[in-house]
Amino acid sequence: MRRKLLENRIHIGLVAATLVMIILRILLNEKGRVTPDSIRFMRTSHVFPVIDNTTTPLGYPLSIKFFTLFGWGEFWASKVVGILALIAMIYLAKRAKFYLRETIIVCSLFSFVSIFAATLSEALMLPFVFVFLYVARLQIIGQSSGFQSFIQLSVSLILLYLVRYPAVFFMGGLLLFGLINYRKHYSKNFIGAALTGFLFVALYKTLFIDYFNPDYLGNAIEPNISSASQLVSEFFYGLATSFNPFIHISNPGGGLVNFAIYGVGFLNIAVAAILFIKNKLSETERFFVFSGIIGTACTFLIQFIYVTDALDYRLLAPFSFPLWLVYFKKIYQVLGRLSYLVPALSLATGLAFILLSRSNFLENRRAAANFLDQEKLRDAPLKFYRGEDSNFSATQIAELLSTVNPNIRFTENPKDTLQKTTLTAHKVLRKIKIDTNKFQ
C-alpha cells in the first residue's frame, strides 16, 4: 500500500513538473515555440471556413478554431490544445489502466515537452496514437471483437489521418501485422480496418484535396534533390536525437558535443534492442514495436519522393511513442522505481537548456503587437518577404508576428515589398527590438 502511494506521488510530481516545463518552454522561448508550419496551422484556423490550403488535414486547425471561440487568439488556443493533449493522454491511461506509468514517463521526456509546447499538429496526434494503440490492444488480448471492434479501430485510424497525413503509415503497419498474423483471431479486423482507412484516404483526396487544390499531389510528389547519402545520414541523426532521452537537439555548428548527443541516442537504441530480444515481448508489445518501426521506416522512405524537413524528434514522435512505451515497461521490470530517474534527469536537462537559452517571449510579443498596431496591420492579411538576411532571420520575425496576427504568407518576390501589407526584416527591426538567444 505504501509502495503504491509513493508511486502515485511520483506520478503526480512528474505530471506537475511536465506542465510547468511546458509553460516555461513557451514563455522563455523568443518566438513562443512556433515554426513556419505553425503559421500555416494558425492561418488556416484563422480564415476558416475559407480553405486556404490542403497541405495539412483540418483536424489540428479546427481544434485551434474551437478554442478561439472562448476568446483566445490562435496562438494561445494552440497552446491550450497542446496542454490538453497531454492531460487527455494521462487521463485516458489512468481510466483505462493502460500503460499509465509508461505514458507519464514518456510524456515527461524533454523532447515530448517540446512537442506539447509547440504549435504543431504532432501534439494533437499523440492522444489519437494512444487511443489507436489501446483499441488495437483490446482486440489482441480478446477483450474486444466483432463488428464493433472493427468500427472502433477504423474510426481511430480515420481520426489519426484527420490530424496528420502520416497516419497512413499506421494503416500500413496495421495491415502488415494483420497479414503476418493472419491465423490470429484479430487479423480480419486489423486487415479490414486498415483497408477501410486507405479507402477513407482515397475519398478524402478525391472529395476534399482535389476539390480545393487539384494540383496538390502533383506538386507535392517529386524526387528529392537531396542525395541518398544525405537522407540516410539525416535519418540516423534524427534517430539518435529522437531516442536520446535527455537532449533532442544537436548543435547545428557541429562539434564534439554532437558526438555525445548522438552517442547517447544510439546507446539507448542498443539497450532497447537488447531488452526487446532478451525479454520476450507479449503480442501487444510486438504490435507496438512493429508499428513504431514500420512508421519510422516509412517516414524515412517517403522522403525520396516527398520533400520534408530533415527527420528529427518531432516528425518521428508519433512512431517513437509506442517504442518508448514498451522500452520503459521493460526498463521498469529491471530497475523498478529507479526508472523514474530518466524523466527526472530529462526534465532537469531541459530546464538547464531553457534557462541558458532563455529570452522574454511576452516582451517580444508585446513589441510585435505594438508594431502591428502602429502600422494598422494587426488584422490585415500580410505578406512577409524572406529575401533578406538579418541577425534575427526574416522567418523568425514572421513567426513572432504570427503570434499576434496569424494571417501571414511568405513571399520571395521583391516587388511585393512595395505594398504596405508586405513586411520585411528591415521594416520590423528598425522599429522594434527583439530579445534573442543563440540556441534558437
Side-chain angles (χ1 to χ4, degrees):
M1 186 67 180
R2 292 179 61 184
R3 180 177 179 178
K4 185 175 181 181
L5 181 61
L6 175 61
E7 192 141 357
N8 286 338
R9 288 176 176 173
I10 293 174
H11 290 173
I12 293 171
L14 277 178
V15 173
T18 301
L19 289 170
V20 171
M21 286 287 288
I22 290 174
I23 294 171
L24 291 177
R25 191 79 171 103
I26 297 169
L27 298 183
L28 297 183
N29 177 272
E30 58 197 3
K31 305 168 296 171
R33 292 290 294 157
V34 296
T35 69
D37 286 340
S38 305
I39 297 177
R40 186 176 68 247
F41 292 133
M42 291 190 291
R43 187 182 68 240
T44 300
S45 172
H46 183 77
V47 302
F48 186 84
V50 174
I51 305 299
D52 81 327
N53 81 83
T54 56
T55 305
T56 180
L58 288 178
Y60 184 60
L62 288 183
S63 70
I64 295 175
K65 189 73 173 183
F66 173 77
F67 286 103
T68 62
L69 301 178
F70 298 95
W72 290 300
E74 283 77 13
F75 171 78
W76 292 115
S78 71
K79 303 310 178 185
V80 172
V81 171
I83 291 173
L84 289 182
L86 167 65
I87 294 173
M89 291 177 70
I90 305 300
Y91 172 78
L92 291 172
K94 183 174 179 60
R95 178 156 185 170
K97 297 180 180 179
F98 175 68
Y99 283 83
L100 173 61
R101 178 194 305 115
E102 293 78 14
T103 300
I104 291 173
I105 291 176
V106 174
C107 290
S108 297
L109 298 179
F110 187 50
S111 58
F112 284 87
V113 167
S114 295
I115 289 171
F116 290 121
T119 299
L120 294 168
S121 57
E122 285 83 0
L124 183 62
M125 188 179 188
L126 285 171
F128 288 100
V129 171
F130 183 86
V131 171
F132 164 70
L133 296 174
Y134 174 67
V135 171
R137 184 243 185 184
L138 289 181
Q139 298 193 32
I140 290 173
I141 64 176
Q143 287 190 9
S144 179
S145 59
F147 183 72
Q148 183 178 358
S149 299
F150 160 74
I151 294 297
Q152 291 173 346
L153 197 54
S154 300
V155 170
S156 68
L157 287 172
I158 290 171
L159 291 176
L160 269 173
Y161 183 78
L162 289 175
V163 177
R164 277 185 61 76
Y165 292 145
V168 296
F169 304 148
F170 280 115
M171 298 176 190
L174 189 71
L175 178 62
L176 284 175
F177 196 80
L179 291 172
I180 292 171
N181 298 278
Y182 69 95
R183 293 182 178 179
K184 303 289 179 66
H185 63 277
Y186 55 78
S187 63
K188 289 183 179 179
N189 273 355
F190 275 30
I191 295 170
L195 294 177
T196 301
F198 285 126
L199 176 61
F200 178 82
V201 171
L203 291 174
Y204 186 87
K205 176 190 179 299
T206 303
L207 301 178
F208 179 75
I209 295 179
D210 287 351
Y211 180 80
F212 289 103
N213 186 4
D215 299 324
Y216 169 71
L217 202 59
N219 293 333
I221 296 181
E222 59 183 32
N224 197 324
I225 60 173
S226 301
S227 65
S229 60
Q230 179 183 342
L231 293 177
V232 170
S233 63
E234 289 177 351
F235 174 62
F236 281 103
Y237 294 150
L239 279 179
T241 51
S242 297
F243 288 96
N244 184 325
F246 310 114
I247 302 175
H248 60 275
I249 302 171
S250 59
N251 182 1
L256 292 177
V257 67
N258 281 351
F259 285 98
I261 294 172
Y262 299 143
V264 171
F266 284 125
L267 177 63
N268 202 43
I269 293 172
V271 171
I274 292 171
L275 286 173
F276 293 169
I277 294 171
K278 292 190 66 175
N279 298 274
K280 186 177 180 181
L281 299 179
S282 68
E283 194 79 354
T284 297
E285 291 167 347
R286 285 202 310 116
F287 172 69
F288 285 12
V289 172
F290 186 84
S291 297
I293 292 175
I294 290 297
T296 300
C298 290
T299 303
F300 164 66
L301 293 174
I302 197 69
Q303 287 188 300
F304 287 92
I305 60 171
Y306 186 92
V307 179
T308 67
D309 295 335
L311 295 187
D312 61 2
Y313 73 97
R314 174 177 74 88
L315 295 178
L316 295 177
F319 309 108
S320 68
F321 179 72
L323 294 169
W324 278 118
L325 290 181
V326 179
Y327 177 60
F328 278 112
K329 184 176 181 179
K330 298 304 179 185
I331 286 287
Y332 189 85
Q333 291 172 354
V334 176
L335 299 178
R337 288 198 298 271
L338 288 176
S339 306
Y340 293 114
L341 287 176
V342 177
L345 289 173
S346 182
L347 289 174
T349 304
L351 180 61
F353 174 83
I354 289 173
L355 293 178
L356 287 172
S357 63
R358 68 185 181 276
S359 55
N360 193 330
F361 166 68
L362 293 180
E363 184 60 36
N364 285 346
R365 187 174 187 271
R366 190 177 299 113
N370 290 338
F371 169 80
L372 292 174
D373 287 337
Q374 291 171 5
E375 301 295 319
K376 296 181 173 53
L377 297 174
R378 191 181 185 107
D379 300 312
L382 302 176
K383 290 182 180 179
F384 203 98
Y385 177 62
R386 288 197 289 192
E388 59 181 7
D389 295 325
S390 66
N391 292 333
F392 195 60
S393 77
T395 300
Q396 290 174 304
I397 295 172
E399 290 164 355
L400 177 60
L401 294 176
S402 74
T403 66
V404 181
N405 180 355
N407 197 0
I408 297 179
R409 295 177 182 275
F410 289 106
T411 179
E412 280 77 33
N413 186 354
K415 291 183 179 179
D416 288 338
T417 60
L418 300 176
Q419 303 171 10
K420 177 178 172 54
T421 54
T422 299
L423 299 176
T424 67
H426 176 70
K427 286 181 182 179
V428 176
L429 292 179
R430 72 179 180 178
K431 293 192 175 182
I432 67 172
K433 181 179 180 181
I434 297 174
D435 183 23
T436 64
N437 70 75
K438 63 181 180 179
F439 290 95
Q440 301 297 333

